[in-house]
Amino acid sequence: MKGPMSSAPNTQSIPQASASWWTRLANPTRFMALAGRLIPWLAALTLIAGAIGLYLGFSAPEDYQQGATVQIMFIHVPSAWLAMMCYSVMSISALGTLVWRHPLADVSLRAAAPIGAAFTLLALITGSLWGKPMWGTWWVWDARLTSVLILFLIYLGLMALSRAIEDPVQAAKPLAIVTLVGFVNIPIIKFSVDWWNTLHQPASVSRFGRPTLDAVFLYPLLTMAIAFTLLFFTLHLMNMRNEILARRIRVMKLKQAGN
Amino acid sequence: MRFEADSISVNRGLRRVVQDVSFSLGEGDALTVTGANGAGKSTLLRALCGLLPLAAGTLRLAGVGEGEDDPLIFREHLHYLGPQNAMKAALSVRENLAFWRDFSGSSGGMAIKAALNAVELPHVADLPYSYLSTGMKRRVAICRLLVSKKPVWIVDEPTSGLDSHSSELFSGLCRAHCADGGIVIAATHLPLGLGKAQTLEMKTLFTFFEGDEFFDGENA
Amino acid sequence: MRFEADSISVNRGLRRVVQDVSFSLGEGDALTVTGANGAGKSTLLRALCGLLPLAAGTLRLAGVGEGEDDPLIFREHLHYLGPQNAMKAALSVRENLAFWRDFSGSSGGMAIKAALNAVELPHVADLPYSYLSTGMKRRVAICRLLVSKKPVWIVDEPTSGLDSHSSELFSGLCRAHCADGGIVIAATHLPLGLGKAQTLEMKTLFTFFEGDEFFDGENA
Amino acid sequence: MGALLSREIRVALRAGSGALMGVLFFLAVVTVFPFAIGPDLNQLGRIGPAILWIGALLASLLGLDRLFAMEREDGALDALVMQPHPLMAVILVKCLAHWLVSGLPLILATPLFGIMLNVSPLGIAAVMATLAAGTPAITFIGAAAAAVASALPRGGLLIAVLTLPLVIPVLIFGITATNGALYDPDPFTAPFLILLALTLFAGVLGPLAASLMLRHSAE
Amino acid sequence: MGALLSREIRVALRAGSGALMGVLFFLAVVTVFPFAIGPDLNQLGRIGPAILWIGALLASLLGLDRLFAMEREDGALDALVMQPHPLMAVILVKCLAHWLVSGLPLILATPLFGIMLNVSPLGIAAVMATLAAGTPAITFIGAAAAAVASALPRGGLLIAVLTLPLVIPVLIFGITATNGALYDPDPFTAPFLILLALTLFAGVLGPLAASLMLRHSAE
Ligand code: HEM
Ligand SMILES: Nc1ncnc2c1ncn2[C@@H]1O[C@H](COP(=O)(O)OP(=O)(O)OP(=O)(O)O)[C@@H](O)[C@H]1O
Ligand SMILES: Nc1ncnc2c1ncn2[C@@H]1O[C@H](COP(=O)(O)OP(=O)(O)OP(=O)(O)O)[C@@H](O)[C@H]1O
Ligand SMILES: [Mg+2]
Ligand SMILES: [Mg+2]
């Protein structure tokens, strides 16, 4: 039983004495201010990195096998990576809710879910667009594709869950637990490419898997990956601010109604 | 055995509903919690049972050994009779009561027959619970307190739906429980007739959390 | 307008629960139905609303035109407030009341604001219904009777869960309804304070169907 | 009646967001199939329309569980049947609202799932058309089952069990029409018209049966 | 605990008879397939085990909706968590009871449905063995979802949506093992053991998660 409410003597929330950055972040007002200052910089960096990445990407030579479609890679691969990274961020946030009881962890989890779903959808769509010319079909049920689809399902399930419980405070724990359970899917996506594939993954995929990727492809890819990561953090901070504001509005409404 | 609350507070949906409530009840004591609708009686009672977290303060059931200051542990010595009756419509009255007796694991309660006699419903034992009228259902729910023996009764409007004769029966049962060394805490709008009961008058609060505290609402 | 019952009987689960009840209520009359738990008050009230079939006797709501002797038709002129509150937890109080007002299709009721004022809950209009305490929920349910105007109110333990002040408010509302030419029929354990109300004391029956009669039990 | 429609939709969209949930269930069921049947795209493409139909069928059935049960539990059913509206119209409106929030999204989501199951664009269009014509029938018939189940504590599966045998004709003509659109000798129009007729028929019979069942909502 | 087990089973067998319902739903789903896919017996025989598994999966998921919701509604949840039993044990017993009345009958009914789908006797035996090993995992994982959904008015579909992605491994290994028994080069033992491991794993993790979720059953 704990009561991190108000300044009651038995409060077990974040100790007041140690004013580390972590503790200070626990205060949403300070977080709002900090995020407000960070977002423009992050957004600017995202734009710069994105512009460089796109330039490098489009000036890259056509692949002798894949032709122009190789350019899809510069969107596809970063968004696939981000889809997984976003889920990892959510899982850490879930730990933050359950173990460290950080007040912003739940806000971060909720804010990340739609972004993750969007990146996953982007990876699915770009993958499909790439698959049509490469494999002759939009979709195959191989391990990697399917596990990404399941990741998408889990994202949607989490969003449905967070919508289903009206009070965000009550939704926090279930959300965190389901998020953690769903994390098993991430290593599955990453490692067990041949865990369940009766239809073979074409060589064109694993060809790039080895570090033999030519520098003309590697650098634009890495730049785009950096741009996507920055984009993620920008969106995440923005969404967290929105979430905090939404909760404040909710409280204000309740206050108004309660008097 | 003593049941003590030391300035406890409870929040509900971003609002402080119970603020700084303290009491200390010894064996044989009774406490009636009164107050207008929405004053926070049910909230307080749920918090006493560990069903809602405390926002501040401590609870203690002295004399039950380990875990006497953790509601999540000592609540196994409490009986909570909430607004719902906790009975399955599909089972007969006897099956329902037998389940709660066996499951609660405490011995020394009344026999089911005796308990039903005490609420003057000896003839319904084998009826499906769903066949009973509102007040009869409530009286069966009261039998749950009798068939398994626990020292503290926490009852939320126990006599709602009861006719006046049954209400008096219930008062008698409470007095008997107190005389037996038990403790009764009852939220009620109607006087329960518990004689020397302490009274706790709840007042509706209008304290909202300020600033950003709401991030740690009730489940934090 | 008159509401008349001519020696009606009602069965429940193979048992005769209401036997030969008659009354005749004119405009401005009130009837309180009393009796011990299980005496058949709720059963009688549901039968008056056409929610349970009559086993014998006739009901008549004289003066409402066609269908005045068929409960399945004239019940649209009745308000029934049962043990449940008929509100959706997910919607706000205002949405709930607005729905019942619009759907009941009868005009001339109070505005929602005025109705909530009448039960002294003006501030909860925009709260989700699920946020209210037991008694507040019941008071909102009472508002349903106010926002759409119907001549006859049939209320089953309307004040259960209400604090004493709110109970008085409700008595006042009933008196106002009667003064306005309405009819109130209330099943209750507590005196409602309706002044010159008629009283119907129900007695628990122990009549079981004999032989083959149970083939035309309650749903016959 | 407008009040009822808007209440139903608001309740559905607010608590537990029924709309989203049905689509997600549909997606989840469709995803499960290739795991069970095997990922052979040709085979999947051949039975794809069937999988889509079964998924939509189950998704629209399973959302029905509390159409009337919730009304009964919170006491609103008594008040609903006491209003001066014909009960059948009330039920029709409830069905309509339910279809709008749970049937329609299924149809809109079909193209996505169709691509994943390797169904051709023509096949997807045919599935969408037949679903649009057929799912209302499922809702109507299911409503009657939901009325029966409303008095039971665990009605969800009962509804499915009661409804599934009755909606098999809908399924058959839905799939026949889809195949008609896809494979040349088979006709599309005839089974499609039958499907429409079934829906109209169910639209009368389902609410009628449901209203009979709810009329004396005696307990 | 014995008291809880017997109460659970009696409630399930009495009200709405959950057991029968699950089997009937299973039957209905299995029956729908030949209508949807076409009655080609060879094809049916080939994907028969898959159909059986999907039917069993859905049937065991969909019965879960009121595992905790009903306890919450009638106030029994409060009293349950206040007893001196570890909450995880309570949940385990509830899962066990649920499996006994809804999972076990599915397995016992499998031979019948297997014959209807033209599955070979060996295939039927394999499906029964894998279902026996796998369906408890579905119940355990579903219980966690049921705990989440217990506070919601329409939790049924949410449970399925949350559970389906997580039980896909169970389905995969169940079907792999079945195929292993049927087609020679593939192994049976290895996937079957993995299936058992999954069930044990779920038997710890599911109730744990569910108990975390129910611990403060605050409303
Ligand atoms: C919808 C279909 C697809 C999905 C869901 C998908 C998913 C993914 C994922 C999750 C990754 C990240 C893996 C990791 O970091 O380990 C990835 C990487 C990659 N994908 Fe796809 N993919 C799809 C289609 C394709 C297609 C059609 C191609 C090309 C023929 C392709 C080429 C690649 C390449 C080259 C990488 C980078 C590999 C590496 O980092 O080693 N993908 N994809
Ligand atoms: N689930 C909930 N979520 C948010 N607020 C709630 C919830 N339940 C109750 N409240 C609020 O808490 C306050 C106290 O409610 P509580 O049920 O404790 O009152 P009570 O004294 O028991 O009233 P009653 O006499 O009507 O039973 C009320 O203002 C109510 O609006
Ligand atoms: N659904 C039912 N099936 C069978 N019998 C029932 C049913 N509901 C009530 N009864 C029986 O009918 C009788 C009258 O019940 P009723 O609910 O009308 O009593 P009441 O006067 O309203 O009592 P209370 O004061 O407790 O509300 C009781 O003996 C009860 O057992
Ligand atoms: Mg209360
Ligand atoms: Mg009654």
Side-chain angles (χ1 to χ4, degrees), chain B residues 41-43 83 156-157 189, chain C residues 133-135:
Chain B
K41 303 178 291 300
S42 305
T43 305
D156 195 354
E157 302 192 25
H189 294 300
Chain C
S133 78
T134 322

Side-chain angles (χ1 to χ4, degrees), chain B residues 85 87 93 120-121 123-124 127-141 160-163 166, chain C residues 12 15 17 35-44 46 83 156-157 187 189 204, chain D residues 219:
Chain B
N85 291 330
M87 298 282 156
V93 169
E120 296 188 354
L121 286 177
H123 52 283
V124 305
L127 283 185
Y129 176 75
S130 61
Y131 276 37
L132 306 184
S133 78
T134 321
M136 293 157 85
K137 282 182 178 148
R138 195 67 176 163
R139 278 147 75 182
V140 170
S160 95
L162 295 195
D163 56 27
S166 310
Chain C
R12 200 117 202 222
R15 251 184 60 198
V17 169
N37 293 139
K41 303 177 293 298
S42 304
T43 306
L44 173 66
R46 287 184 72 82
D156 194 354
E157 302 193 26
H189 294 300
T204 312
Chain D
E219 261 172 81

